[in-house]
């Protein structure tokens, strides 16, 4: 309930997306630390990274561009985020998965979700 209240208090979809991204990242770092993992591989495509890059630059976070788009993001202390899919567009990945009968689970975004009540 507290999480729902927090998200409904944010006035824009961009702010909600930003908060959700922050929570996901914190959760991945926490779980990795609990399990003793030093690296976490994430499936960020070039499409997702480009979207995030434009969003961050428009919000005045241009200083983190190299960390947001690089192969290895080590700003979280002892846990590094690795992006092996960053060179591939989302459509390329989807086509590869389709041709090889790979079932995927997309990460939902708030941009296409129903308004929170």
């Amino acid at each position: 309930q507290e999480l729902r209240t927090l998200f409904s208090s944010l006035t824009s979809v961009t702010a909600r997306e930003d908060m959700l991204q922050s929570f996901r990242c914190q959760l991945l770092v926490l779980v990795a630390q609990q399990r003793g993992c030093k690296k976490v591989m994430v499936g960020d495509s070039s499409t997702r990274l480009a979207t995030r890059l434009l969003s961050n630059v428009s919000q005045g976070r241009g200083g983190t561009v190299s960390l947001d788009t690089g192969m290895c993001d080590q700003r979280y202390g002892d846990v590094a985020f690795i992006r092996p899919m960053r060179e591939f567009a989302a459509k390329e990945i989807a086509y590869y998965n389709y041709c090889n009968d790979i079932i995927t689970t997309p990460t939902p975004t708030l941009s296409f979700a129903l308004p929170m009540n």
Side-chain angles (χ1 to χ4, degrees):
Q1 184 63 27
E2 290 178 34
L3 190 59
R4 186 174 292 276
T5 304
L6 173 65
F7 273 95
S8 34
S9 71
L10 299 172
T11 57
S12 70
V13 175
T14 304
R16 289 179 186 150
E17 286 278 356
D18 196 39
M19 181 68 70
L20 182 61
Q21 173 64 27
S22 177
F23 282 157
R24 279 185 186 141
C25 189
Q26 289 174 13
L27 182 61
L28 286 172
V29 169
L30 181 67
V31 170
Q33 288 172 337
Q34 288 175 347
R35 303 211 181 250
C37 299
K38 298 293 179 197
K39 294 177 178 73
V40 175
M41 295 178 84
V42 293
D44 291 344
S45 66
S46 62
T47 308
R48 179 171 292 167
L49 291 176
T51 304
R52 193 174 304 146
L53 173 103
L54 291 173
S55 176
N56 286 344
V57 168
S58 69
Q59 294 175 24
R61 295 188 205 135
T64 62
V65 167
S66 62
L67 295 172
D68 292 335
T69 60
M71 177 67 165
C72 184
D73 183 350
Q74 296 180 313
R75 68 180 132 182
Y76 303 102
D78 58 341
V79 177
F81 283 80
I82 310 295
R83 297 184 186 96
M85 303 298 288
R86 75 186 187 101
E87 299 293 330
F88 302 100
K91 284 187 180 184
E92 290 176 296
I93 296 168
Y95 186 67
Y96 178 86
N97 290 342
Y98 174 77
C99 289
N100 292 288
D101 295 321
I102 298 172
I103 299 170
T104 61
T105 305
T107 304
T109 63
L110 296 174
S111 304
F112 299 103
L114 296 172
M116 297 179 64
N117 293 329

